[in-house]
Structure formats: C-alpha cells, structure tokens
Amino acid sequence: MKEDNQLVQLQKELQPWLTAGTLYQAILSSPKIKGEQSANKIVMRPVQLKEGLFYQFESYYNNKVLHQNIPAAEAAETLLPLIQDQYKQTLIKEKSTHLHILTNKKGLLSIKRKRNEEQIPEQIIQQHNRQKRRVLEEGTPITFLVELGIMTSDGRVHAKKQDKFRQINRFLEMVEDVLDYLPTDRTLKIVDFGCGKSYLTFALYHYLSVEQQRNIEIIGLDLKSDVIQLCNDLAQKLDYKSLSFLVGDIADYEGLSQVDMVVTLHACDTATDAAIGKAVNWGASVIMSVPCCQHELFPQVSNEIFTPLFSQGLLKERFASLATDGIRGQLLESIGYRVQMLEFIDPEHTPKNLLIRAVRPDVLSFNEQKWDQYQQFKQFLAVEHSLEKILKSHLPS
C-alpha cells in the first residue's frame, strides 16, 4: 500500500505545480516496451499559448519528434499514466523540488524527493512560459488547416506536415512584421501570383480576416485550372467569401487597378519580375516574393575575374541566382522601397528559401546612390535584367 500512497501523493503534488506553472520540466525515459510505437523519451514543459497555460509533451522517436499541447488543468491526467504504465524512470523538476521516480513492472512507484539546488531564477521559468509563439498554434483545431490535411480535427499537426506547418507560420510571422504598412481605412486588396495549392493564400486569409478582423479581398492566380477549381471549392466550403481563385498568367493579368499586397511563391524565372513590376505599378504597400528557377542571367554573366566561378556550371548557376535577387532588391530600393532578404524556411528542406520582402513608405523618393550602384554592378557583370525594363517608367531614361 505504501507504493499506492506514493501515486496518490504524487497526484496531489503535481496538480498545484502544473496549475501555477512552477513545474518547469519532466523527463520520462527507459520505456517499458521498446518499439516503433514507443517514444524513447518524453520531455514535458510549460508553454503559454493564447488560450492560457499549456504543457507541451515532446516525444522523441528514432527518426521523428512529435509535439502535443495539453491544458495545464488536464496535464496530470496525461502525465500520470505515462509514469505508471509506460516508463521506468521519470525526473520531475519543480521550482523548489526535484522528484526522481522509478516505476516497477507492476506500475508501483518509488519516489525520492530532494530540494532543487539548481536555484532556477524566475526568468528562466518565465522563458518556458514564453516559448516562441507561433501565429497559428497547435492544440486548437484551425478549420482551413484541417481541410488542407495539415492538422487533425482535434488540433494536432500531422507528423508529415510539420515542415509545412512551420513554413505557414514563418510566412505569417513575416506578414505580422509589416502589418503597419497596410492601410486600415479601407478594404485590403491582395493578389497571390502563382498560388498553386494555396496553403499560404488560405493562411493569409485566415490570419487577416478571421484573426485580425480586417476587411480584405484576396485573389489567387495560377495557370493550372484543376488546382484553381479545387481552391475555389475549398474557399466556398470554408465560407471565405472574399477569397477567389482565377486561371491566368501573371504578365497578362489586368483585373485590378490598385493592390495593397502582392505575394509570389516560386514564380518561375522572370515571372517573379512580372509580379514585382505589377506590384510596383499598382502602388502595393507590401511585396513578398520567393523567387524560383532563375535562368535569365546565367548565359549573360561574364567577367574574367570570376573565371574560377563561371567555369563551373553549378557555381555559376548559384552566383547568377544570387545576382538576380541582388538586382531585384537594388532596383526596388532605387525607386524608394525598403527591402529585406529573409530566410523563408530551413535550407535543409529546399535551397529555394530566400524571400524578398519590400515595403513602400508613404512617399516614394528615388534613391540616386542605389541606382548608381545598380548600374555599376550590371556593367561589371555585363548583364541586362527584365525587371529594369518592366520598371522603366519609374527609372531614369
């Protein structure tokens, strides 16, 4: 009965710690049953979400890590069965106490308590509570993510969709940073060129319309009619009344006279330049572009100094891609936009991870210095670029 009392006592201790957030880590190791279905280790820690205090259970398998967020009031119900039935060893770290727990085959507990001598400062515990907030949090079902197959109906992100979930959040974080540049006195008009399956388009609509309560109109444009039909069907199912998708080419699109934000994700080669040109001519406040397949400069770049680079096709290709994006940024800065080159997602997933983010100040003023630098750069490499031609009305003749 002594061991049964240990479990009862543990339950009494855990609940106030969990509710207060003073339990800042629990590590469960040595699974009783080893195999692909059992995590080698589980680490639990507090996280502060929009809905309140949760505990994140981070499960480590041989080739993956899964996360589950449980409300603080329910965390003990999840933790205790794991301690009693599935793991032989548990270390619980609370602000003032450490518990070392051994569980035998019958599920009976042996607990050693000792004073926490780590002297964890208050701010460290708060850091756990302020773990990096994602714009879209796991743990609460988000309808469009469920429909797109990224999230389950109970709010868990599918293991194979974790990368896509991070990509969507990264994109929305970048949007969040430039909200102040978007007008608030009228309906926002946004165009997503080359929207494809439109993960980011739906995310943008959800974030701005549902969470930010902005009045918006978003148009997604792509050449694939079957994909556009699927996107329109989903928008209708979600009741996203101000989101529509059209079949069309970026360069030929003339459906609007003013747009506040232009998004392009992997618009191929000079299609990126066509989209940027449209954005500038519309007076877009925000441009967010992830370039792709940049071939225009590859046959042009020429300079004997760079022979060690240009004699190797792979190196020349990479240089030409970087030079292309450098030119795009320089031209946008020349006409007065403020430009940042950002890492979109982890480069281990794709080398096409650079995002050009440009914002328009209230008054555009031509930057002579940036223009001179651009002229010197293109002469040095003996190149001509499509974006300069597209923006000719904004540049010196």
Side-chain angles (χ1 to χ4, degrees), residues 131-360:
Q131 187 185 43
K132 180 173 174 60
R133 182 186 70 82
R134 286 174 168 169
V135 179
L136 304 179
E137 293 286 0
E138 187 173 5
T140 302
I142 300 170
T143 307
F144 86 91
L145 290 177
V146 175
E147 292 294 336
L148 288 170
I150 294 173
M151 186 176 277
T152 64
S153 58
D154 61 353
R156 291 184 296 107
V157 176
H158 291 289
K160 292 183 179 180
K161 295 294 184 179
Q162 287 287 344
D163 290 343
K164 179 61 69 176
F165 185 62
R166 283 193 291 270
Q167 182 194 62
I168 289 171
N169 268 289
R170 175 65 174 148
F171 174 73
L172 293 182
E173 287 167 8
M174 292 177 176
V175 173
E176 191 174 47
D177 289 342
V178 296
L179 283 181
D180 290 344
Y181 287 89
L182 296 172
T184 57
D185 57 346
R186 55 182 169 78
T187 299
L188 285 176
K189 293 185 178 180
I190 300 170
V191 176
D192 184 352
F193 284 125
C195 58
K197 294 181 180 179
S198 302
Y199 291 100
L200 299 186
T201 324
F202 283 104
L204 189 60
Y205 187 95
H206 171 86
Y207 175 62
L208 291 175
S209 179
V210 179
E211 296 202 5
Q212 294 291 317
Q213 294 293 297
R214 297 279 192 107
N215 292 320
I216 63 171
E217 292 178 9
I218 299 183
I219 294 174
L221 192 76
D222 200 274
L223 291 170
K224 298 177 182 178
S225 58
D226 55 340
V227 173
I228 290 299
Q229 184 61 54
L230 289 172
C231 291
N232 275 319
D233 291 344
L234 180 54
Q236 186 175 4
K237 183 177 182 179
L238 293 168
D239 198 29
Y240 285 2
K241 295 179 180 179
S242 298
L243 174 61
S244 60
F245 296 89
L246 303 172
V247 177
D249 182 79
I250 294 172
D252 299 331
Y253 181 69
E254 299 291 346
L256 295 168
S257 59
Q258 182 188 34
V259 173
D260 299 298
M261 180 177 181
V262 170
V263 176
T264 71
L265 181 65
H266 297 159
C268 196
D269 201 18
T270 56
T272 293
D273 304 299
I276 291 174
K278 292 279 188 185
V280 171
N281 290 329
W282 279 328
S285 301
V286 175
I287 303 169
M288 301 187 72
S289 177
V290 179
C292 175
C293 307
Q294 304 176 73
H295 303 307
E296 185 181 24
L297 291 195
F298 181 80
Q300 295 186 56
V301 288
S302 177
N303 190 307
E304 290 185 3
I305 294 174
F306 286 111
T307 298
L309 276 177
F310 295 167
S311 63
Q312 298 293 327
L314 178 61
L315 298 181
K316 183 181 179 183
E317 180 182 11
R318 291 182 180 178
F319 178 90
S321 293
L322 290 173
T324 299
D325 289 330
I327 285 173
R328 286 166 174 157
Q330 196 75 10
L331 284 169
L332 283 168
E333 288 182 325
S334 294
I335 62 176
Y337 274 79
R338 297 168 186 166
V339 178
Q340 286 179 292
M341 302 287 175
L342 303 168
E343 188 174 83
F344 183 37
I345 51 175
D346 194 322
E348 72 178 75
H349 302 300
T350 173
K352 301 168 185 176
N353 72 324
L354 183 145
L355 182 141
I356 303 171
R357 184 173 70 188
V359 295
R360 190 182 192 276

Side-chain angles (χ1 to χ4, degrees), residues 14 17-18 20-27 43-47 53-56 91-98 115-129:
L14 284 179
W17 293 348
L18 292 167
T22 60
L23 193 162
Y24 62 89
Q25 189 179 62
I27 304 172
V43 178
M44 186 191 79
R45 59 174 62 89
V47 292
L53 180 62
F54 280 66
Y55 276 82
Q56 183 178 90
L91 171 61
I92 292 176
K93 295 182 178 183
E94 195 267 339
K95 185 178 177 182
S96 60
T97 307
H98 276 186
R115 182 178 178 180
N116 185 355
E117 297 179 352
E118 291 182 352
Q119 296 181 346
I120 303 298
E122 184 67 24
Q123 60 266 30
I124 289 182
I125 297 175
Q126 290 173 352
Q127 281 176 358
H128 282 296
N129 292 346

Side-chain angles (χ1 to χ4, degrees), residues 1-68:
M1 291 299 294
K2 182 179 179 181
E3 289 81 4
D4 290 342
N5 290 336
Q6 290 273 44
L7 182 61
V8 173
Q9 180 61 32
L10 177 61
Q11 188 169 12
K12 289 180 179 178
E13 287 180 292
L14 284 179
Q15 197 56 61
W17 293 348
L18 292 167
T19 303
T22 60
L23 193 162
Y24 62 89
Q25 189 179 62
I27 304 172
L28 295 86
S29 58
S30 300
K32 291 183 178 181
I33 300 175
K34 295 184 178 181
E36 293 184 0
Q37 301 302 316
S38 297
N40 299 320
K41 178 178 72 172
I42 296 177
V43 178
M44 186 191 79
R45 59 174 62 89
V47 292
Q48 188 69 42
L49 306 183
K50 287 180 288 187
E51 298 81 6
L53 180 62
F54 280 66
Y55 276 82
Q56 183 178 90
F57 287 74
E58 193 171 44
S59 302
Y60 291 81
Y61 295 83
N62 289 333
N63 57 358
K64 61 183 177 181
V65 180
L66 301 182
H67 298 85
Q68 184 180 16

